[in-house]
Amino acid sequence: AQSVTQLDSQVPVFEEAPVELRCNYSSSVSVYLFWYVQYPNQGLQLLLKYLSGSTLVESINGFEAEFNKSQTSFHLRKPSVHISDTAEYFCAVSGVGNTDKLIFGTGTRLQVFP
Amino acid sequence: ETGVTQTPRHLVMGMTNKKSLKCEQHLGHNAMYWYKQSAKKPLELMFVYNFKEQTENNSVPSRFSPECPNSSHLFLHLHTLQPEDSALYLCASSQVPNTEAFFGQGTRLTVV
């Protein structure tokens, strides 16, 4: 079985500052890793994913995450945030070939201030 | 329409009512899911339908009853709910075994 820990429930940051949202996972098998974003009154949208290959994955809006197997982490980073990045961010894990068993973290609320 | 569509977006119901939530996916996926999202809690996977067969029921109370008539439609039938069942109910679909889940916008349920 897998589990996910998001250590920070809230992350306040000023606009144009860098941000890191932390995610650690545990699993006895190889994993797929995902970051989802949820805007107010919306469902979850996939931000980026790691399935295999390069350990650094990027989204179209400037976020990136790096799969670190030795540290069992998949932290999300952005070098310069915008007001529009204010949202809830969820890290999720599944076993390889078991994407019907997706386990989510508790979420991190990113609040960007002007 | 594209993606995953949920109706209604908002629902207020009394504890003695019976209502149903509807989900439709237009992605050709082979699995559909119901999740419950409550404040300050992780998303809870309620039901999984994989190839139209229910494969997982994470100890969900019987007042929640899922129905999957085909691979594109998923329902959640609700009856005699409790106030603590108030939450955002999210539907999702994926192409098992290797793609991520795509979510609908959710139904905000309030039980009074």
Side-chain angles (χ1 to χ4, degrees):
Chain A
Q2 290 79 40
S3 67
V4 178
T5 301
Q6 292 184 248
L7 296 170
D8 306 302
S9 60
Q10 295 187 61
V11 174
V13 64
F14 287 108
E15 194 172 22
E16 297 183 3
V19 71
E20 178 180 82
L21 307 185
R22 296 180 291 170
C23 172
N24 289 89
Y25 70 92
S26 67
S27 176
S28 56
V29 299
S30 297
V31 296
Y32 293 153
L33 291 156
F34 308 86
W35 275 102
Y36 282 84
V37 59
Q38 185 178 33
Y39 299 103
N41 300 313
Q42 299 290 320
L44 276 69
Q45 302 173 32
L46 182 72
L47 190 60
L48 45 76
K49 61 185 177 183
Y50 170 78
L51 302 182
S52 65
S54 173
T55 56
L56 183 65
V57 292
E58 299 177 350
S59 72
I60 59 173
N61 57 353
F63 283 94
E64 65 178 30
E66 186 162 17
F67 170 51
N68 188 320
K69 188 174 181 179
S70 63
Q71 297 187 6
T72 61
S73 67
F74 191 56
H75 301 330
L76 182 69
R77 301 183 181 94
K78 188 171 185 179
S80 176
V81 295
H82 301 141
I83 295 287
S84 59
D85 293 324
T86 295
E88 190 93 19
Y89 291 80
F90 293 90
C91 183
V93 64
S94 74
V96 170
N98 285 302
T99 54
D100 57 337
K101 294 177 174 60
L102 198 58
I103 306 299
F104 285 86
T106 51
T108 297
R109 169 77 176 164
L110 175 64
Q111 181 73 53
V112 182
F113 295 95
Chain B
E1 289 204 48
T2 59
V4 181
T5 304
Q6 289 187 243
T7 55
R9 291 292 309 277
H10 302 272
L11 178 61
V12 179
M13 59 185 291
M15 290 190 284
T16 58
N17 290 161
K18 290 184 179 181
K19 296 286 184 183
S20 296
L21 309 185
K22 180 183 176 182
C23 177
E24 184 174 1
Q25 61 102 355
H26 308 273
L27 301 168
H29 288 164
N30 59 10
M32 296 185 75
Y33 315 82
W34 281 116
Y35 283 88
K36 177 183 179 182
Q37 186 178 28
S38 305
K40 308 299 182 185
K41 290 185 178 181
L43 266 73
E44 301 173 44
L45 178 61
M46 301 174 71
F47 300 103
V48 178
Y49 276 86
N50 192 337
F51 305 108
K52 293 196 298 180
E53 294 180 359
Q54 184 179 320
T55 56
E56 189 154 334
N57 173 348
N58 292 301
S59 302
V60 179
S62 59
R63 58 185 183 269
F64 296 92
S65 175
E67 178 189 0
C68 189
N70 55 61
S71 58
S72 298
H73 294 86
L74 184 65
F75 296 89
L76 188 62
H77 303 299
L78 316 171
H79 64 97
T80 59
L81 294 191
Q82 304 298 312
E84 60 265 29
D85 297 322
S86 298
L88 182 68
Y89 289 84
L90 292 164
C91 175
S93 70
S94 72
Q95 185 67 19
V96 178
N98 285 323
T99 75
E100 65 275 14
F102 290 75
F103 284 81
Q105 292 189 313
T107 295
R108 174 67 64 185
L109 174 67
T110 303
V111 181
V112 297

